[in-house]
């Protein structure tokens, strides 16, 4: 079995990260804007800090990590499940499952369940798009 | 390439979930003070500290266990069976979870100390869960 093509994992991760960041920018600034404002007010979180540069930089970095994890998982499971969009979708569901399961533990106290369902649906859409992009970019010798 | 052994993924995942829950239960003693401080700081309802509020965590640990073993099973043809692949499968998912929680920390939901302690405890839980789940997994 050939080893993972690190260069293509990095390229796939960058492609996935660009899509995740673009989706997050739209989601957080337009779709969930009211929710973040409400969370800051009701949970004693500093709105200025929440909208600050460090949060923006962190969001970009978190999306980069998720993008690279997506590309890496796709590359790791490719020999078993075969190359293509089906495997990319499975990789997306694995990352979505674990990230959103963790956020689900905040349901009912930090975030309301309807907000959780909305954020999970939006996160699934962006991770699927990012996973497909990572799978499309990732190539191995012989492809 | 043989198909993934679904029964063993679920069995191994549930076993990993038991190990994750046991480890998480043990960490409660380490993380209790930070949790109580968070409840006060974020003006959360006191019910957050009640045993019933642990139910979602228990379910999530089982789901986490199943995803780790599924990842391990899917990765096995590339990296080979064994504890190294098990830890790799667990820590890739751990990286995704920790990145998301780091985002919440910078927003002010968690303190830095709370995040670091949680991440360290969860790393140990993930390692234990991954090894137990992978130990149970067998191919057809």
């Amino acid at each position: 079995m050939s080893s993972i093509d690190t260069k293509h994992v990095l390229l796939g991760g960058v492609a996935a990260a660009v899509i995740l960041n673009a989706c997050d920018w739209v989601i957080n600034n337009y779709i969930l804007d009211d929710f973040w404002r409400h969370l800051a007010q009701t949970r004693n979180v500093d709105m200025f800090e929440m909208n600050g540069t460090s949060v923006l930089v962190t969001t970009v970095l978190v999306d980069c990590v998720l993008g690279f994890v997506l590309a890496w998982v796709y590359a790791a499971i490719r020999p078993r499940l075969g190359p293509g969009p089906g495997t990319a979708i499975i990789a997306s569901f694995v990352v979505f499952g674990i990230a959103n399961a963790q956020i689900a533990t905040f349901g009912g106290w930090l975030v309301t369940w309807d907000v959780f369902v909305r954020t999970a649906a939006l996160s699934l859409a962006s991770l699927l798009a990012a996973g497909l992009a990572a799978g499309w970019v990732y190539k191995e010798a012989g492809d | 390439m043989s198909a993934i052994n679904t029964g063993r993924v679920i069995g191994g995942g549930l076993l990993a979930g038991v190990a994750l829950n046991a480890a998480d239960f043990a960490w409660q003693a380490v993380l209790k003070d930070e949790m109580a401080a968070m409840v006060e700081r974020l003006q959360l309802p006191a019910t957050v500290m009640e045993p019933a509020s642990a139910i979602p965590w228990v379910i999530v640990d089982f789901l986490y266990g199943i995803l780790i073993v599924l990842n391990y099973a899917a990765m096995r043809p590339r990296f080979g069976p064994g504890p190294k692949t098990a830890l790799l499968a667990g820590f890739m998912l751990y990286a995704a979870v920790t990145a998301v929680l780091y985002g919440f920390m910078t927003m002010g939901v968690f303190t830095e100390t709370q995040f670091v302690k949680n991440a360290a405890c969860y790393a140990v839980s993930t390692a234990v869960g991954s090894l137990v789940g992978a130990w149970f997994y067998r191919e057809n």
Side-chain angles (χ1 to χ4, degrees), chain B residues 25-115:
Chain B
F25 183 75
W27 299 133
Q28 289 315 304
V30 180
L31 303 169
K32 201 174 65 184
D33 291 347
E34 274 76 18
M35 189 67 187
M38 186 175 91
V39 169
E40 200 172 316
R41 191 169 46 83
L42 298 180
Q43 298 166 355
L44 296 169
T47 50
V48 169
M49 297 296 279
E50 288 175 4
S53 66
I55 293 169
W57 298 88
V58 173
I59 296 168
V60 163
D61 272 347
F62 281 111
L63 184 64
Y64 190 32
I66 291 171
L67 285 172
I68 287 173
V69 180
L70 175 67
N71 202 24
Y72 169 75
M75 284 167 54
R76 249 172 75 121
R78 171 140 253 159
F79 298 104
K84 258 171 76 177
T85 305
L87 290 173
L88 202 54
F91 276 96
M92 286 318 285
L93 301 188
Y94 169 82
V97 171
T98 307
V100 171
L101 295 181
Y102 183 78
F104 277 96
M105 185 203 79
T106 53
M107 284 194 290
V109 174
F110 303 118
T111 61
E112 213 170 289
T113 314
Q114 190 182 14
F115 169 76

Side-chain angles (χ1 to χ4, degrees), chain A residues 26-94:
Chain A
V26 173
I27 291 167
N28 290 326
N29 288 296
Y30 296 100
I31 304 172
L32 294 177
D33 183 39
D34 289 347
F35 158 68
W36 290 120
R37 207 179 302 277
H38 180 72
L39 179 82
Q41 283 164 0
T42 55
R43 295 290 168 230
N44 203 23
V45 175
D46 186 351
M47 193 67 196
F48 185 74
E49 189 185 342
M50 200 184 239
N51 284 328
T53 313
S54 73
V55 172
L56 179 68
V57 171
T58 305
T59 307
V60 172
L61 288 176
V62 167
D63 281 342
C64 288
V65 171
L66 290 178
F68 286 115
V69 170
L70 257 179
W72 192 90
V73 169
Y74 171 78
I77 67 177
R78 223 179 88 126
R80 167 139 254 160
L81 304 173
T87 302
I89 287 170
I90 289 171
S92 300
F93 268 101
V94 168

Side-chain angles (χ1 to χ4, degrees), chain B residues 125-140:
Chain B
S125 303
T126 301
V128 173
S130 305
L131 292 170
V132 169
W135 168 78
F136 185 81
Y137 182 79
R138 298 279 181 280
E139 299 267 277
N140 284 317

Side-chain angles (χ1 to χ4, degrees), chain A residues 114-140:
Chain A
D114 66 309
V115 167
F116 168 73
V117 170
R118 276 170 62 196
T119 54
L122 293 164
S123 153
L124 178 60
S126 51
L127 279 167
L128 283 172
L132 288 169
W136 179 70
V137 169
Y138 184 80
K139 298 277 182 288
E140 291 197 351

